[in-house]
Amino acid sequence: MTRMQREEIDAPAGRAQGRSVIPGLAVWAFFLTFSGQGIRNVVGWTPFGIIAAISGIALYAAFRLEGHRIVWRALPRAICAYCLWCVASIAWTQFPDETLLASALMVATTAAGILLACALSLRQLTVALGRSLEATIALSLVLEAYVALVLKHPLIPLYMRGWESVPISYFWSEDRLLQGGPIQGIVGNRNPLAFIALLALICVVVRWRDRQISRSHLIVWSSLSVLTLVLTRSATVTVAAVICAILAVVMWWLRHVPREQRYQAILRTAAACLLIGLMALLFRHDLAMLLNRSPDMSGRAIIWERVIDLWKQHSILGWGWVMYWQPWLPVFQTLVVRPDGTPTMSAHNAYLEALFQTGIVGFVLIVAVVLLLLVRTGRLALVYLDSAPSVLLPLLVSAALAIQALTESRLLSEGNWMVACAIGTWLGLHRLTVKEAERPSRTRIGEDPLPVNAS
C-alpha cells in the first residue's frame, strides 16, 4: 500500500499529538453499549444511567481536551436526519415522558459514535471494537461456567434479588451451558450475544489479515467466537455469518481477478446473489426448518402483524420514538404477551420498528441509512481491494447489521446504532480526505478550515 493510500484509509478527524486516552474510552464505550444489560443486571437501571452519563461526559471532555474537532461536512446525513426525526417526535408522540428520555439516549449514542470516528482511525476503531467484544465473550463464558459448575441453577439479575418472583424471560443465565446451550452470557439474551460473537469474529479475522495481531491471538479468539456462536444457536446470526463469509470469499476471489475483468465478475456475482436471495425467499419455510426454527420466525410474524396494525393508526409520523417498548405503557402491556406472562419489548425488526415509532418518514430514513452503508462500504472495499484488508470490516459489519435488523430491533439503539454512526462518519471523513488528496494545490485536510489528519 502506498503512503497516500494508507493516509486515506486511516484518516480520522484532526488528532492531537501525544498520548491519547480516547482509544481506551472507545473500548469502554463499545462495551457499555453492547454489554450494557450485563452492567444493569448488577447495579440496576438508575446507577447504570449515571455510569453512562459520566462515560459520555468523559468521552466528550477527552475529545475536546485532546484537540479533536467534529468535521461537520463528514457527518452521515441520513443517520443524523433519523436522530433528529426521533427528537422531533416529541412534538406528536403518544408517550411524552418516554420519548423525551429515548430521544436523549438516541442523541447521546449518535454523538458517541461520531466522536469516536472523528478521533480514531479505522484501525483504532477496529481494535477498540474488537477488544470490547472479546471482553464480552470472555465474561459471558466465565459467567455461564460459574452458573453451570458452581451455582448449578439459573441466575437472576442481582438487582432483582428482592423480588417475590422473577419471570423466566428476565433470567440472567438459564444454566444451559452443560446442555449445549442456548446460553445468554452477561448480556442476558442469546441473540445479541450471538451477534457480538459474529462481530468479534469479523474483527479478529480482519485484524489478522491486516497483520495487526499474531496467529495465536487469531486462533484463541476466533475459536471462542465460534464456540459462542454454536452455544447461542441464533438462526438469524447464523444466516448473517454465512452471508458475511460469502462476502469475504467473494472479495478474496476478486483480488485474483484481473482488474479489467472485475466489473463483469462483480455483475455476475451480484446476479448470482440475487438469484440465491430469491430462492431463499421462495423456500423460506424449508430454510427455517433447516435452522430448527418455526416458519413464523419463532412467533415474530404475530408481533409484526400487530405492529403493522398499530402503525396504521399513525402512519405518517408514527407513535413517537421510545426505543425499547416500556412494559408499563398500556399499548404494550397486552400487545404480545410472552409465555411467562411478560410483554414483548420490541418489534423484532428494525425496519418495522422505525415504521411503527417514527412513521413512513423514519422508515424511509432507516432504509436509506442501511442502503448507504452497504453501497459505500462495498465501494470502499472494491477500491482498496488489493491493498488494505482493513476496509473489509465496514462492509462485513454493515452487512451483519442489515441482516440482523430483519429479526431484531437493535440496529436502532445502543451498540449497533453507535457502530453504524461511527462507520457512517468515518466514511464521510474518508471521502473528504480523498477529495483533498486529489487537490494538492488547495488546502489539505488537516489544515484549517477543515481539520482532518491522517493517522
Side-chain angles (χ1 to χ4, degrees), residues 280-453:
L281 183 62
L282 289 174
F283 296 98
R284 60 186 180 279
H285 297 306
D286 298 303
L287 182 60
M289 293 179 64
L290 181 64
L291 293 170
N292 196 28
R293 292 294 182 271
S294 59
D296 67 345
M297 301 298 292
S298 302
R300 284 173 171 80
I302 297 175
I303 301 174
W304 298 340
E305 179 181 344
R306 296 182 182 177
V307 166
I308 290 174
D309 288 339
L310 279 178
W311 162 71
K312 291 177 181 177
Q313 299 178 31
H314 303 279
S315 59
I316 305 299
L317 301 178
W319 283 67
W321 176 245
V322 293
M323 196 173 290
Y324 292 116
W325 300 355
Q326 285 78 13
W328 57 83
L329 294 173
V331 69
F332 301 127
Q333 285 180 344
T334 57
L335 184 62
V336 181
V337 179
R338 292 181 287 203
D340 63 354
T342 59
T344 297
M345 298 292 192
S346 73
H348 286 281
N349 183 298
Y351 309 105
L352 284 181
E353 194 78 82
L355 185 67
F356 163 57
Q357 295 192 29
T358 55
I360 293 177
V361 176
F363 171 77
V364 171
L365 288 172
I366 282 300
V367 171
V369 166
V370 172
L371 290 178
L372 287 172
L373 283 178
L374 291 174
V375 170
R376 290 174 178 173
T377 56
R379 183 187 302 141
L380 181 79
L382 290 173
V383 169
Y384 294 95
L385 187 62
D386 300 313
S387 56
S390 59
V391 297
L392 283 178
L393 181 93
L395 174 60
L396 297 178
V397 170
S398 296
L401 289 171
I403 296 165
Q404 192 207 31
L406 294 171
T407 59
E408 297 290 339
S409 298
R410 295 178 181 273
L411 171 64
L412 307 178
S413 62
E414 297 187 294
N416 291 28
W417 182 253
M418 191 169 80
V419 166
C421 294
I423 292 176
T425 304
W426 184 86
L427 288 170
L429 290 166
H430 172 263
R431 185 172 63 254
L432 292 179
T433 301
V434 172
K435 287 182 179 179
E436 290 299 319
E438 294 172 349
R439 295 179 298 181
S441 61
R442 300 183 60 179
T443 303
R444 292 296 301 273
I445 296 178
E447 303 172 357
D448 289 334
L450 187 62
V452 182
N453 288 329

Side-chain angles (χ1 to χ4, degrees), residues 115-154:
L115 293 179
L116 291 179
C118 286
L120 303 176
S121 69
L122 179 59
R123 286 180 174 83
Q124 289 174 313
L125 284 172
T126 304
V127 170
L129 178 61
R131 287 177 176 172
S132 68
L133 299 175
E134 289 169 1
T136 299
I137 290 174
L139 291 173
S140 294
L141 293 176
V142 168
L143 175 68
E144 293 290 349
Y146 167 76
V147 171
L149 302 176
V150 179
L151 202 60
K152 297 183 179 180
H153 62 75

Side-chain angles (χ1 to χ4, degrees), residues 4 22 24 40 46 75 89 131 183 190 192 220 236 243 249 295 305 343 347 372 374 394 403 433 450 452-454:
M4 179 170 291
I22 291 186
R40 291 191 289 269
T46 300
L75 299 189
S89 70
R131 287 177 176 172
I183 63 172
R190 66 174 180 169
V220 169
T236 301
I243 293 176
V249 170
E305 179 181 344
L372 287 172
L374 291 174
I403 296 165
T433 301
L450 187 62
V452 182
N453 288 329

Side-chain angles (χ1 to χ4, degrees), residues 180-204:
I183 63 172
Q184 301 187 151
I186 64 170
V187 296
N189 189 315
R190 66 174 180 169
N191 291 313
L193 179 60
F195 190 70
I196 286 170
L198 174 58
L199 294 188
L201 182 60
I202 292 172
C203 286
V204 74

